Amino acid sequence: MKRGEFTLIDSIAALFAAVPHNGFEPIGDDCTVLDVGNDEVLVISTDMLVEDVHFLRSASSAEEVGHKSLMVNLSDVAAMGALPVATLLSIALPHDAQGEWVDGFMRSYADASRSYGVALVGGDTTAAKDKIAINVVAIGRMQRKNVKRRSAARVGDVVCVTGMLGISSKGLVDIMFGDLETEAAKAHRLAQARVDEGQWLGMRSEVHAMMDISDGVASDIRHIMAQSRVGAELDISLIPTDFDLRYALSGGEDYELLLTVEESSVEALIEDFSARFGAKLTPIGRIIEGNALRWVERGAPIELDLQGFRHF
Amino acid sequence: MKRGEFTLIDSIAALFAAVPHNGFEPIGDDCTVLDVGNDEVLVISTDMLVEDVHFLRSASSAEEVGHKSLMVNLSDVAAMGALPVATLLSIALPHDAQGEWVDGFMRSYADASRSYGVALVGGDTTAAKDKIAINVVAIGRMQRKNVKRRSAARVGDVVCVTGMLGISSKGLVDIMFGDLETEAAKAHRLAQARVDEGQWLGMRSEVHAMMDISDGVASDIRHIMAQSRVGAELDISLIPTDFDLRYALSGGEDYELLLTVEESSVEALIEDFSARFGAKLTPIGRIIEGNALRWVERGAPIELDLQGFRHF
């Protein structure tokens, strides 16, 4: 579970305190992790998308919703360092979405599944009263030793992000103002999960903690801090973006990866990443003692009150 | 996937024809099955419940919805013969369900999880515009050799059901008419998945095909027929029920098990089942050649046009 639902999650954890874990790791990462023998684990994530909360039928095509439904989950699997192998899809359809809409949705979901080599292995379809609801479960497989957790950050680690931040939320704003064909608008509609990058980073032991950026760095870094019981100092002058800093720090759905790296290895990792993917891995700060998030600009402390996008 | 969604499922199967299965079995059973090594498999099911389609907030308490959300999925896992080990829960909550309602739902979901020893290992909570949507994923674990599939029925098998049929749908009708405290109404609210029975039957090699009864025998037997490419002859005089036959044949949510058994072993199996569970395993017909469903009464052919409950 994620986003701003800490209170509900705390009360759920209390309710389940007496229930055995049956080989699963406790909640707290992008995915749950299950030992399956032969030094392998499955990682499993689930996300629900609801009409008029996560998308508007008037603003997003069925194809875009299909693409996004898959990507949010593949991104969670990638963030553990796993290879996504399969999804299960549940979809509740009101009467006026049962023809063309669901065809477009499924075509796009299948196209994206094919391009990532991910099977559809189960699901449920049902009627809904008036709003579409979609739930996707993604399953990944990987070597246990490569699993990257939010809880593995160490004091002294360099905080890095993949790619460029903010383009997806800039695109969302463009779309809201009717500019449907800007580069950012297209990027928002067709955001790709960093599946190859996640697996590659998973195999590097100098990468300690990792997660995907779904709500913006300013919000998501707090999950690593909470799980690892550390603080962080981030430098706004280092954030890789072509847009307003607010988009880059607080905008959702970039599906880039946020990771912490052993300081002595970070330069070599950045070079190897660039050689392998032709893309940037950018240091944006470091893990510090304590539990505070400090913002600096070229090393000098600044005040910043930024929140990631929250559903609650 | 299940219920009356055959057309959508066919078109989905075509869209995914070129995608590798990655070790999963093709769609067609209560659960998808994944090899995890050491002769073990995971079985995974998912079900979505939507307000005003699967439940009314005015007629069902939050506790009842929490109980039912878990049971529909545990029943799918039990139908494969597996031990349920974990669930993932996604829930979309409109503003007016975020306090007392969700507390009652979670308390009941947790109580039932505890009584079956099932962990809650992940999920998603989000806002909804006005209707509650719930998606549960259940994961079971078992020996590969014990997996019971819908496709394993053989000509000559005896068709059997566990327990008594129709009480849940009789209870639903009682509730609709305001009779909230009848025995059937209570049974409807607190239906229990046949988890121990499913595992026990899973270990018996004379049990060939198995599934849970979620839409009524008259509808569900057709899944075994389609997957096994066989016909069936069912005798209405043998259906174990205390109520109108329509409830027993077409009513949903009994969560009993429907299975086909090697003819020579069926008497011993019924005896052992009764000794182990103090409950009935009842022969109701047999698997025949062809693809037709024939109804008989004390052996004499009758005409019957009964449909299970369908959402589409």
Side-chain angles (χ1 to χ4, degrees), chain B residues 6-309:
Chain B
F6 289 113
T7 320
L8 180 57
I9 290 174
D10 287 347
S11 80
I12 291 171
L15 282 170
F16 280 85
V19 183
H21 286 176
N22 295 334
F24 286 83
E25 294 182 6
I27 290 174
D29 252 300
D30 293 274
C31 295
T32 183
V33 179
L34 173 67
D35 239 310
V36 292
N38 302 324
D39 300 320
E40 268 200 329
V41 296
L42 292 187
V43 303
I44 308 176
S45 96
T46 185
D47 264 288
M48 190 176 259
L49 277 79
V50 180
E51 183 178 353
D52 290 353
V53 176
H54 301 90
F55 64 93
L56 301 169
R57 244 193 284 180
S58 57
S60 298
S61 70
E63 286 77 7
E64 286 160 34
V65 178
H67 181 88
K68 176 176 172 172
S69 301
L70 183 67
M71 286 308 145
V72 292
N73 281 282
L74 295 191
S75 183
D76 285 332
V77 168
M80 307 296 291
L83 172 72
V85 291
T87 67
L88 294 90
L89 170 65
S90 300
I91 184 160
L93 294 168
H95 190 74
D96 60 359
Q98 286 180 19
E100 209 175 313
W101 196 93
V102 72
D103 288 346
F105 175 94
M106 283 310 315
R107 203 165 43 239
S108 168
Y109 190 95
D111 284 347
S113 295
R114 200 178 307 115
S115 77
Y116 284 91
V118 176
L120 178 65
V121 296
D124 191 15
T125 65
T126 181
K129 197 76 179 175
D130 44 25
K131 305 288 180 212
I132 299 165
I134 299 153
N135 194 85
V136 175
V137 176
I139 303 173
R141 208 161 176 161
M142 67 186 301
Q143 293 291 307
R144 163 163 287 285
K145 66 177 165 44
N146 294 340
V147 175
K148 299 302 181 196
R149 294 177 182 77
R150 296 178 180 183
S151 58
R154 300 178 203 164
V155 172
D157 279 0
V158 177
V159 179
C160 296
V161 294
T162 61
M164 300 293 286
L165 303 183
I167 190 164
S168 181
S169 59
K170 170 61 166 56
L172 181 59
V173 171
D174 287 351
I175 291 167
M176 285 164 57
F177 285 110
D179 287 341
L180 304 184
E181 299 306 322
T182 64
E183 194 199 346
K186 287 178 198 165
H188 174 79
R189 286 196 295 267
L190 289 175
Q192 298 289 326
R194 302 297 172 223
V195 168
D196 291 342
E197 293 85 343
Q199 280 178 80
W200 186 89
L201 291 164
M203 288 186 281
R204 302 288 294 231
S205 61
E206 65 268 42
V207 176
H208 295 159
M210 188 157 72
M211 66 179 294
D212 74 326
I213 304 176
S214 50
D215 301 334
V217 167
S219 170
D220 289 331
I221 187 69
R222 293 183 185 278
H223 292 287
I224 286 178
M225 291 163 52
Q227 293 288 325
S228 299
R229 297 165 190 275
V230 294
E233 183 183 277
L234 302 183
D235 191 325
I236 61 166
S237 66
L238 300 177
I239 303 293
T241 185
D242 295 325
F243 305 100
D244 187 312
L245 199 59
R246 285 175 305 170
Y247 295 131
L249 294 181
S250 305
E253 302 180 23
D254 275 323
Y255 305 131
E256 295 293 349
L257 298 169
L258 175 65
L259 51 148
T260 82
V261 183
E262 178 73 40
E263 194 186 4
S264 61
S265 311
V266 73
E267 279 185 41
L269 185 74
I270 290 169
E271 237 171 72
D272 292 355
F273 187 87
S274 169
R276 171 68 180 79
F277 295 106
K280 280 170 63 166
L281 183 67
T282 307
I284 61 167
R286 57 194 185 92
I287 296 297
I288 57 177
E289 284 186 25
N291 55 21
L293 175 57
R294 292 193 200 134
W295 292 97
V296 298
E297 183 166 12
R298 275 172 265 277
I302 54 165
E303 290 293 321
L304 204 63
D305 184 18
L306 287 159
Q307 290 293 326
F309 185 79

Side-chain angles (χ1 to χ4, degrees), chain A residues 158-161 234-235 237-240 266 270 281-286:
Chain A
V158 177
V159 178
C160 296
V161 293
L234 302 183
D235 192 325
S237 66
L238 300 176
I239 302 293
V266 73
I270 289 169
L281 184 67
T282 307
I284 62 168
R286 60 195 183 90

